[in-house]
Amino acid sequence: MALRWKGTLKDRDVTDEALWLNRRALLGGAAGLGLMGIAGGARAAEGDLEPNSWEEITSYNNYYEFGTGKDDPARYAERLTIAPWTVRIDGLVDRPGDYAFEDILSKMTLEERLYRFRCVEAWSMVVPWTGFELADLLELAGVQSSAKYVAFETVLNRDEMPGTAYRVLDWPYVEGLRLDEAMHPLTIMATGIYGKDIPKQNGAPLRLVVPWKYGFKSIKSVVRITLTDSEPPTSWNKANAREYGFYSNVNPEVSHPRWSQATERRIGGGLFAARQDTLPFNGYGDEVAGLYAGMDLSTYF
């Protein structure tokens, strides 16, 4: 079951109390939805985790299958067919197969998670996700003892994804995690934002969210999950290994080869808003730094 990780945030950290309670009342009657409260990481300062608005979260996106402009996903992603949807889980698992999205949801406990989101391009936002812990999905498939990594693949439908006509990346988009990263309770598969179904431009119907890593690690519209004993290829690493490593943990002390990562621009802050200091591991160091004990964090992961 989920809920192994407990955060410190309260309902009031998300939005107006009356609106939040009203949303809870509406969601409470949804079949199969166990809304168990808010979870989140350590706060850098009081008020740091005020969530971005729905409009900001859904209109400023990187989803290159629909174009390289920040507004291209919102403009073109509506073309994407997301029902029916299945996720193939294979590799080093006891129960490989094609899992229907509805069947997955019927077996998962959905939660609200308020997380920082930090893009490698040095902008950030705060997103109130709905989802379930990836560990629960992997346990459903039965992880074998020889598995060490988890590989992910995004849907590829060229007729509905105009950006795939261009070789920006080697399609389909692929990503990967070490198994202990994937099983960490902070790692979730998101199905919604602000208690609503996740929009297509944000990765509907099912996307990965790994809040201590740069955003490109949180692969969208997942159709395949493969357990393996070797490090899987990842799209941005294949495109430019010098700039995009496999780990890609948020690290303010290590600059991207073309820009500093020491500060970030908060989306929605306004034209004259001051940049914010970037937090190691995006503010989740207390929870995840131990995963990398003994590793040289002075290199760009």
Side-chain angles (χ1 to χ4, degrees), residues 175-236:
E175 256 303 337
L177 297 173
R178 235 170 43 191
L179 182 59
D180 58 347
E181 296 175 319
M183 298 295 284
H184 194 279
L186 279 176
T187 303
I188 65 169
M189 300 300 292
T191 62
I193 297 171
Y194 269 118
K196 303 177 183 179
D197 289 344
I198 191 169
K200 295 178 180 180
Q201 61 266 34
N202 291 93
L206 188 66
R207 69 168 289 169
L208 179 70
V209 178
V210 193
W212 69 93
K213 294 179 179 288
Y214 292 119
F216 66 87
K217 296 291 294 184
S218 294
I219 185 170
K220 300 178 178 72
S221 303
V222 174
V223 293
R224 188 175 185 181
I225 300 173
T226 303
L227 279 292
T228 176
D229 60 1
S230 58
E231 183 179 294
T234 62
S235 286
W236 280 105

Side-chain angles (χ1 to χ4, degrees), residues 236-248:
W236 280 105
N237 182 254
K238 290 192 296 180
N240 191 334
R242 176 174 172 266
E243 296 189 356
Y244 305 102
F246 176 80
Y247 285 93
S248 294

Side-chain angles (χ1 to χ4, degrees), residues 100-149:
F101 179 62
E102 293 79 5
D103 291 341
I104 291 173
L105 287 187
S106 71
K107 295 177 175 65
M108 297 293 115
T109 298
L110 297 184
E111 306 176 56
E112 295 282 341
R113 295 283 181 97
L114 183 63
Y115 281 164
R116 298 180 188 87
F117 184 90
R118 174 59 155 80
C119 182
V120 72
E121 298 169 343
W123 56 265
S124 66
M125 58 176 62
V126 175
V127 183
W129 303 103
T130 304
F132 56 86
E133 293 184 15
L134 173 59
D136 291 340
L137 180 58
L138 298 182
E139 290 172 359
L140 181 66
V143 179
Q144 296 180 1
S145 60
S146 55
K148 298 179 180 178
Y149 294 88

Side-chain angles (χ1 to χ4, degrees), residues 17-34:
E17 182 179 2
L19 178 60
W20 181 243
L21 292 175
N22 182 57
R23 189 170 83 249
R24 276 195 165 184
L26 291 173
L27 291 174
L33 179 57

Side-chain angles (χ1 to χ4, degrees), residues 41-45 48 116-118 186 210-214 248-254 261-264 276-290 292 297-298 301:
R43 280 182 276 185
D48 177 62
R116 298 180 188 87
F117 184 90
R118 174 59 155 80
L186 279 176
V210 193
W212 69 93
K213 294 179 179 288
Y214 292 119
S248 294
N249 294 319
V250 176
N251 190 342
E253 297 182 1
V254 178
Q261 297 286 18
T263 63
E264 61 197 51
Q276 300 177 354
D277 290 339
T278 296
L279 300 173
F281 297 106
N282 204 25
Y284 300 99
D286 288 348
E287 290 89 351
V288 303
Y292 311 101
L297 298 182
S298 67
F301 281 99

